[in-house]
């Protein structure tokens, strides 16, 4: 069986690499809807899931909206974010743990930023409040589940495109210093985004550039060279070999 979400995600990466950002928005949308319908093998979209695989679909919706913004298709970005807010709100009735519902509130705030739909500051404040009252033994474990990683992925992708392809937002940026204080440890995610996400999106729009997400990377790989910028730093993502610096498809080096 063909995995439609994987196929669409690969097509989205290809479109980003080709600087066809509206097409990338379309393909991220297709990937999102496929993943929302089938979050993970054996998982139903309307059943509780401690890992929160449904978050991958939410991530793709957010990234689709950013791609549309970079392409100048602001109305389409707004449509994706309205869709994302609605899906996130509905999933509050599906995901059982309060910490997951806090993460969904974080997603809502992200959509409000990208699509300029509603009060993002208030939405982030809601997410902070929701995080600060949770009491879990291992916030680090929750922070590495698919739901939480998905909620961090879009801002990381936007930021790396503005920082020469490097990891511009780290774990320490997104999380508090003391995991023994689980509420503040996780609430820091929403606080950081409240301060940074809007300006990062605005810069990407002004630059007219969206990087591919970061996959497996290698510096100074003599087998490859970027035809655009000459870099030999490689980013393998979605079964594609891209330049880590500018997301251009790499060519085999003739050396």
């Amino acid at each position: 069986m063909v995995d439609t979400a994987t196929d669409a995600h690969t097509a989205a990466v290809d479109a980003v690499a080709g600087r066809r950002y509206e097409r990338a928005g379309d393909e991220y949308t297709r990937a999102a809807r496929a993943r929302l319908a089938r979050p993970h093998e054996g998982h139903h979209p309307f059943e509780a899931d401690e890992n929160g695989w449904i978050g991958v679909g939410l991530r793709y919706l957010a990234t689709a909206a950013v791609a549309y913004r970079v392409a100048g298709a602001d109305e389409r970005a707004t449509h994706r974010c309205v869709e994302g807010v609605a899906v996130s709100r509905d999933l509050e009735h599906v995901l059982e743990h309060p910490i997951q519902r806090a993460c969904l509130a974080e997603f809502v705030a992200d959509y409000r930023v990208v699509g300029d739909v509603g009060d993002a500051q208030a939405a982030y404040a809601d997410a902070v409040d929701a995080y600060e009252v949770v009491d879990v033994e291992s916030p680090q474990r929750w922070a590495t589940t698919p739901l939480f990683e998905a909620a961090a992925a879009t801002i990381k992708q936007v930021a790396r495109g503005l920082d020469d392809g490097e990891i511009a937002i780290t774990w320490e940026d997104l999380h508090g210093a003391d995991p023994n204080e689980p509420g503040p440890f996780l609430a820091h995610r929403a606080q950081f985004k409240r301060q940074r996400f809007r300006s990062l999106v605005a810069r990407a729009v002004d630059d007219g550039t969206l990087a591919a997400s970061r996959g497996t990377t290698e510096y100074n790989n003599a087998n490859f060279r970027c035809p655009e910028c000459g870099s030999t730093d490689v980013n393998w993502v979605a079964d594609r070999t891209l330049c880590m610096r500018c997301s251009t498809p790499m060519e085999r080096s003739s050396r």
Side-chain angles (χ1 to χ4, degrees):
M1 174 182 281
V2 175
D3 186 336
T4 303
T6 299
D7 176 64
H9 181 226
T10 299
V13 170
D14 286 341
V16 167
R19 277 62 164 175
R20 294 173 293 131
Y21 296 121
E22 187 164 7
R23 175 63 182 273
D26 292 345
E27 296 297 345
Y28 276 121
T29 299
R30 192 163 67 97
R33 291 172 178 167
R35 192 59 72 203
L36 290 171
R38 189 185 186 199
H40 195 59
E41 190 68 40
H43 288 265
H44 190 283
F46 297 117
E47 291 179 351
D49 167 24
E50 190 173 85
N51 286 315
W53 284 103
I54 200 80
V56 177
L58 297 177
R59 167 206 171 180
Y60 289 156
L61 276 182
T63 310
V66 174
Y68 286 133
R69 285 286 309 277
V70 172
D74 289 354
E75 187 174 358
R76 301 196 72 193
T78 296
H79 291 161
R80 266 340 135 252
C81 290
V82 169
E83 181 180 355
V85 169
V87 174
S88 299
R89 293 298 192 206
D90 189 59
L91 288 172
E92 292 175 0
H93 302 281
V94 177
L95 299 181
E96 294 181 332
H97 201 289
I99 202 170
Q100 293 180 310
R101 293 176 187 148
C103 191
L104 291 172
E106 182 184 330
F107 264 113
V108 167
D110 291 347
Y111 291 127
R112 295 207 186 285
V113 166
V114 178
D116 195 21
V117 287
D119 189 341
Q121 294 296 309
Y124 280 125
D126 289 343
V128 169
D129 290 345
Y131 278 128
E132 286 187 337
V133 297
V134 300
D135 184 17
V136 293
E137 292 184 357
S138 180
Q140 303 102 313
R141 185 191 70 80
W142 284 102
T144 57
T145 60
L147 178 67
F148 280 76
E149 290 187 336
T154 300
I155 189 173
K156 288 181 175 181
Q157 183 172 349
V158 172
R160 71 177 298 268
L162 303 170
D163 195 26
D164 201 28
E166 295 290 353
I167 299 173
I169 294 176
T170 66
W171 171 274
E172 291 76 17
D173 291 326
L174 285 172
H175 300 98
D178 186 3
N180 291 315
E181 296 287 342
F185 178 83
L186 292 169
H188 192 74
R189 298 164 56 94
Q191 293 166 336
F192 178 85
K193 287 181 176 181
R194 180 167 55 189
Q195 296 168 356
R196 296 289 309 280
F197 198 19
R198 186 179 297 278
S199 63
L200 288 169
V201 171
R203 284 180 56 199
V205 171
D206 288 344
D207 289 352
T209 302
L210 176 65
S213 57
R214 187 169 173 127
T216 301
T217 59
E218 183 178 357
Y219 291 85
N220 300 317
N221 186 319
N223 295 314
F224 296 97
R225 182 170 295 276
C226 176
E228 183 69 22
C229 70
S231 173
T232 57
D233 300 331
V234 181
N235 178 31
W236 287 282
V237 58
D239 200 30
R240 296 294 186 259
T241 305
L242 304 182
C243 175
M244 195 181 81
R245 302 302 175 187
C246 67
S247 295
T248 299
M250 295 291 264
E251 294 179 350
R252 284 279 179 180
S253 176
S254 59
R255 291 184 300 172

